[in-house]
Structures are given as C-alpha cells and as structure tokens.
Amino acid sequence: MELQRLPGFRDFYPDDRAWLNYIFDCWRKTATSFGFSEYDGPTLEASDLYRKKSGEELKTQLFRFVDQGDRDVCLRPEMTPTLARLVAAREREFKKPIKWFSIASFFRFEKPQKGRLREFFQVNCDLIGDNSVAADAELISLAVQMLRDFGLTGQDFYVRLNDRRLWSEFLKRRKIDLSRTTEFLNIIDKLEREEKDRTAQKLGTFGLTLDDIQEFLRTPGEQLPGFEDLFRELQWRGVAEYCQLDLTVVRGLDYYSGIVFELFDRGKENRAIAGGGRYDQLISVISDGAVDLTAAGFAIGDVVLRNLLEELNHARAIAQERMTGRGLRGYMVIAAESHRPEAIKLATRLRSAGISIDFPLEPAKVGKQFQAAESLGARYAIVIGQEWPEVRLKDLRKRAETAVPEAELESALKSEN
RNA sequence: GUGGUCGUAGCUCAAUGGUAGAGCCCUGGAUUGUGGUUCCAGCUGUUGCGGGUUCGAGUCCCGUCGGCCACCCCA
C-alpha cells in the first residue's frame, strides 16, 4: 500500500502547475493594472484571529492544532482577518485608500467535492479606507475584469449584487430585533433552495410571512440612497450590464456590512466563482477598536475558476495557447559528438541571454534527438555537426532549415516568429 | 456529520462465479545527420485494503480507506 495523498489535497504535476501559473499570472496582471499592490501573510495564524469575528461553528472547519510551543494555531481559512491584522498594526504607514491584493493558499477541513477542496488558492483584492460607492464599483469592476481576462464574457457569467442595509432597513421598519439579523439573513440565503413551508415557518418566528418577503424582493433598491450612484459608477466602468440586483444574495459571513456580491457562471451549475462585499467594522473588531477603517473586498478561488475555464471551449483554447507559448525555445541536436564541448558552451551562452535551451545529456542518435525536441515542444532544433562553427537552425513548426554561423544564432533565435 | 455511487497496469477502460486483457503512455529498435504518421519488441498488477460465502471471487456479502456527486455548511 503506497502512501496516499491526503483527501482534498492536490498534486500539481507540470500540466496542473501550468494552469495554476496561468491563473496566477492573469490575476496578478489585472490587479496590478487597477493599481493594487501585492502583499502576503503567514500561512499559520493564532486561532484567536478567527474566533474574534465568527461564531462557534467555525472550528470544525479549521485545520486547527496546538504547536510545540503550546500555541493554539490554525492554517488560514481565509485572508481577510490576516489583512485586517496587517493593516491595523501599521495603518499609519500607508496612504489611503489602501489597495492591496494577495494570491495565497487556504485550508478548510470540509468534505471535498466539486469546486471545493481542503487546500485551494484565492486572489483577494481589498480596498481599505474609502467607503464611497466608487470604491465598491472599482472592486466589482476589477472582479469582472479578472474574469474577462481569461476570455470569459457576459455570456459566461454575471454579477449578483445586493446591499445588506436593504434588509437592515426592512427589519428596522418592522421593528424586528436587529440582533437576529444573522439568523434572518440565513433564511434569505436559503430562499431558493429550501422548501417553502420550512421557510415560512422560520419567518413566522419573526412575525413575517413569505408574502412579506416576496413583496420586498420585487421592489428594487431605490429605497437605499446611493444605489443609483453605484449603478452610475458601474456604468462608467462598463460593467453595469454584468450586474443584476438580487436581494437573496447575502453571503454567509457575519462581518459584511454593506454591499455584497457574487459572480456566478451562467451554466446550469450556477456556482459562485467569486464573492465579496463591504466590511466596515471588521478592522476595528480585529484591532479591539484601536484602528477604525472602512473596507471592502472580494476573492476568487482557483478551483471553480479552473473547472469553468476547462468547460468553456473558448476559454480553454485561450488558456492552452498562453500556456504553450512558454515552452522550450531551442533543442540542441548534437550530431557530432566531437563538438559537444562547443555545443554546451553555446547552450550556456544562449541560456544566459534568456533563451530556453535543452540538449541531450548523453550521446544519442540524431533521429532520437529530433524526437526529443518534438516531444519537449521546442520551437527550433539547433543542429551541431561537422560544419561547426556553422550550425543548422531548423524551425520545427515550419519545417524549414537554414544555415547560421554560431555567432549569429542568438539574434536568430530572438527574432520573433 | 448524513446519503448515493464507484475503486482492475502510470492513464482510459474490458473480462455470463472458472487461467486477469486491450488501447494510450513509457523504454528499446527498424542497414548509424533530421521530428508530428507507421511497424516490431519490451515493461508494468498482492484487481484499494481486511474479512466472509464458495470446489473456485475482479465478480456475491460485510467492514474499512479513498474518488466522484448531493445534503449540511460555506470564509
């Protein structure tokens, strides 16, 4: 019996790692283009960091243990508390608004299934110290752009947008105890999935009926000042058409205080690709009131995203193209072993110039070497033979071969085509 | 945590309860300086693991560990 991989964890063989790199590169490029700076934090955090902001149920989903120093620690299940800690600790060093992103791995002890594993990666983008609707719009716009950069379109995904304050107002107006907000939002969250009877029964404990809710759902968000401003901001950014108001989107986390949104794929699966919102009180809570900064952010996970990119033909084609573009530039075919020393010196020089080069470590037949070049995905074969110092440069895609003096090889390999 | 379903070669899968196979991949070769095709040969298994029924179990039964899916939960 061989050693097994832990359930919910993945190996990343080169093909898988290429996918991950492609996704990371895309995330990083887009976040940077919006003026966000990359940061990171530790993978392991004190358990208290997560207890401060959440309920008791959390602990079954944490990778939690006591270290050799008798500290109660957790593998991070999300980035936001770490971010809040970082910002709270050195808040005055950074000009506002703080626009940061990170690409990191997270751990949750859950039952693995489609789109949900025990270790996964997320890009987290947060905008801190600005509570304008422009900040909200900026984040939504960034989330949309991040998906568009993978070749996804409005045909593939859309944004479900809501503001929790709409429900807060709703509760206030009906004189319902606001301390039960979380309980209430949980019912709203399940509105589409749970049986109507069950929902009605739960609502009954609030003195509400299903009709009360349905009626409120039909009335758009003009009841909250600022929502029109938000949509105007979204329009300026060209992302309003991706968004639709959906009051049933509330998101599970307690700490969301304003807008919340999720990006869904339009396929029948309808899974959330990304989610986020405004959490104006969290930094204050984490820092025990020392620092009070408004904030909003979102995260995109790698698992659902990759599933989706592989399912959609156009997105998969783009991914394949961008991933193979980074292959080997030249494979050196050493046809004359007597020139191996020169060949290796040449390869070393080309590599120093940033050109990816490989060659056989031991003598091999020329045919074999060409096969190797082919299977390694090399763009060019460089044949080192008796003609040295002249070499033969063969374009493996075009199947065309030319003679090139070795001194000119570098520029020949660098020229685009 | 609950339920369904599936575990056979590295991968994808065959095998009415009766001697475990194919394709792909990989390795080597096809008169020694040219690759996506082709041909030949070779390699690989405690049929996930442990019990049970049977003359005989990959096949039937129980347990267990995994995978997938749904529920729960979702940061």
Side-chain angles (χ1 to χ4, degrees):
Chain A
M1 164 117 175
E2 69 186 275
L3 286 168
Q4 284 182 323
R5 202 174 50 220
L6 255 27
F9 285 78
R10 290 171 289 175
D11 294 319
F12 291 94
Y13 287 88
D15 280 354
D16 301 302
R17 187 66 220 194
W19 265 101
L20 207 55
N21 287 343
Y22 164 59
I23 288 170
F24 287 4
D25 288 350
C26 229
W27 283 346
R28 186 168 283 123
K29 179 174 140 286
T30 308
T32 304
S33 78
F34 272 66
F36 282 66
S37 303
E38 188 164 3
Y39 72 97
D40 204 347
T43 309
L44 203 62
E45 289 274 19
S47 299
D48 282 344
L49 183 63
Y50 306 108
R51 221 177 311 169
K52 264 184 179 167
K53 57 132 209 172
S54 309
E56 286 301 308
E57 293 191 31
L58 201 70
K59 64 185 175 214
T60 58
Q61 294 175 4
L62 288 170
F63 271 93
R64 182 180 181 188
F65 58 96
V66 176
D67 73 7
Q68 287 92 325
D70 211 28
R71 282 175 284 260
D72 184 353
V73 296
C74 292
L75 288 168
R76 62 183 169 199
E78 60 163 325
M79 200 50 155
T80 309
T82 295
L83 172 64
R85 182 174 64 71
L86 261 56
V87 169
R90 293 166 60 169
E91 177 262 318
R92 300 171 69 93
E93 289 182 33
F94 306 106
K95 220 173 175 54
K96 312 299 178 298
I98 295 169
K99 294 164 67 177
W100 284 0
F101 78 98
S102 76
I103 295 170
S105 58
F106 300 95
F107 305 84
R108 295 176 196 172
F109 197 85
E110 294 184 291
K111 187 112 173 172
Q113 57 189 274
K114 188 167 192 181
R116 180 208 252 175
L117 300 169
R118 288 182 173 178
E119 182 188 19
F120 55 94
F121 296 87
Q122 280 185 346
V123 60
N124 275 259
C125 302
D126 293 271
L127 206 159
I128 297 162
D130 186 324
N131 67 349
S132 67
V133 290
D136 295 338
E138 194 76 347
L139 284 164
I140 292 166
S141 173
L142 173 54
V144 168
Q145 189 56 41
M146 275 190 170
L147 296 195
R148 292 180 50 167
D149 281 347
F150 289 104
L152 300 182
T153 70
Q155 310 290 313
D156 304 315
F157 74 95
Y158 66 108
V159 183
R160 297 168 77 183
L161 182 60
N162 186 23
D163 193 315
R164 281 196 173 183
R165 286 168 293 186
L166 290 172
W167 288 114
S168 302
E169 284 301 312
F170 175 84
L171 293 177
K172 250 185 245 169
R173 207 168 304 160
R174 288 167 191 265
K175 308 256 189 302
I176 291 167
D177 184 1
L178 285 179
S179 68
R180 293 178 70 191
T181 302
T182 301
E183 183 190 347
F184 175 75
L185 291 178
N186 207 271
I187 300 169
I188 301 302
D189 186 37
K190 289 192 173 65
L191 219 50
E192 290 175 349
R193 287 164 295 170
E194 198 152 60
E195 293 167 27
K196 287 206 163 86
D197 294 349
R198 190 85 189 282
T199 304
Q201 184 196 334
K202 286 182 181 172
L203 286 172
T205 68
F206 287 85
L208 294 167
T209 68
L210 212 51
D211 283 344
D212 293 334
I213 303 299
Q214 298 293 2
E215 189 193 330
F216 189 72
L217 286 178
R218 277 193 293 275
T219 62
E222 68 252 9
Q223 337 190 11
L224 191 76
F227 230 87
E228 274 179 31
D229 294 337
L230 174 61
F231 266 90
R232 200 180 60 231
E233 291 276 350
L234 291 170
Q235 264 161 9
W236 290 343
R237 288 166 176 76
V239 296
E241 61 261 39
Y242 289 86
C243 302
Q244 66 187 56
L245 187 64
D246 185 337
L247 301 202
T248 66
V249 174
V250 298
R251 311 233 356 113
L253 279 177
D254 285 359
Y255 59 65
Y256 286 118
S257 57
I259 63 138
V260 287
F261 62 94
E262 293 183 336
L263 277 64
F264 273 81
D265 93 59
R266 286 191 187 275
K268 57 184 172 187
E269 302 295 330
N270 253 351
R271 300 160 300 195
I273 307 162
R278 177 158 288 283
Y279 52 96
D280 284 339
Q281 285 82 44
L282 182 63
I283 293 177
S284 174
V285 170
I286 294 282
S287 67
D288 286 324
V291 177
D292 190 9
L293 280 172
T294 61
F298 71 90
I300 305 177
D302 74 304
V303 183
V304 172
L305 179 61
R306 179 175 165 184
N307 284 346
L308 186 60
L309 294 178
E310 285 192 285
E311 281 168 22
L312 299 169
N313 290 332
H314 58 288
R316 195 178 57 239
I318 290 170
Q320 293 301 346
E321 176 156 350
R322 294 196 198 160
M323 285 189 279
T324 55
R326 288 180 278 198
L328 198 60
R329 188 69 172 165
Y331 189 88
M332 205 165 262
V333 173
I334 303 177
E337 275 299 320
S338 60
H339 289 296
R340 175 171 284 266
E342 292 96 320
I344 292 175
K345 281 176 196 161
L346 175 58
T348 303
R349 208 172 71 227
L350 293 171
R351 286 168 168 175
S352 298
I355 301 167
S356 57
I357 299 289
D358 204 355
F359 56 82
L361 295 172
E362 291 181 66
K365 292 183 179 175
V366 171
K368 278 281 175 231
Q369 297 190 54
F370 269 89
Q371 278 173 16
E374 182 68 36
S375 71
L376 291 171
R379 180 61 207 280
Y380 293 97
I382 302 155
V383 183
I384 308 295
Q386 299 302 341
E387 313 82 17
W388 182 268
E390 185 179 270
V391 304
R392 303 195 70 79
L393 181 62
K394 183 161 187 178
D395 186 324
L396 291 175
R397 202 185 301 168
K398 295 177 182 166
R399 319 199 69 157
E401 186 171 307
T402 54
V404 179
E406 65 103 9
E408 293 171 23
L409 189 58
E410 181 180 326
S411 58
L413 282 169
K414 274 186 174 168
S415 67
E416 266 325 299
N417 65 355

